Amino acid sequence: MYARRERAGKTLNWVFFSLLILCFIGMALTVFFPLIGGLLQRSFYVFVSIWGALFTLQLVRNEKQQL
């Protein structure tokens, strides 16, 4: 909720949100193609980790600029 209201990193949020939606769709497809499940789960974790780190850096930069 906080990230959605934040103006900083709006493009970054939408890019990673789209990637996460694609991962969720892929995870749903594992019902029909069970061999790709582990790879999709790992890619989901990677996207979440990278998004969290980049968004944190961007918020810290914006906070320093405002001071």
Side-chain angles (χ1 to χ4, degrees), residues 2-24:
Y2 174 73
R4 190 177 72 178
R5 287 184 286 153
E6 185 64 36
R7 290 188 179 150
K10 199 169 202 173
T11 305
L12 181 69
N13 285 336
W14 281 110
V15 167
F16 279 98
F17 177 73
S18 302
L19 290 172
L20 291 176
I21 293 298
L22 287 175
C23 281
F24 281 129

Side-chain angles (χ1 to χ4, degrees), residues 6-53:
E6 185 64 36
R7 290 188 179 150
K10 199 169 202 173
T11 305
L12 181 69
N13 285 336
W14 281 110
V15 167
F16 279 98
F17 177 73
S18 302
L19 290 172
L20 291 176
I21 293 298
L22 287 175
C23 281
F24 281 129
I25 291 170
M27 285 181 198
L29 289 175
T30 59
V31 173
F32 304 108
F33 306 104
L35 296 176
I36 61 171
L39 178 64
L40 287 169
Q41 183 181 9
R42 287 184 202 101
S43 63
F44 173 76
Y45 292 147
V46 167
F47 291 145
V48 169
S49 300
I50 292 172
W51 172 80

Side-chain angles (χ1 to χ4, degrees), residues 45-62:
Y45 292 147
V46 167
F47 291 145
V48 169
S49 300
I50 292 172
W51 172 80
L54 291 177
F55 192 68
T56 301
L57 287 174
Q58 201 161 23
L59 287 177
V60 168
R61 282 187 195 155
N62 286 346

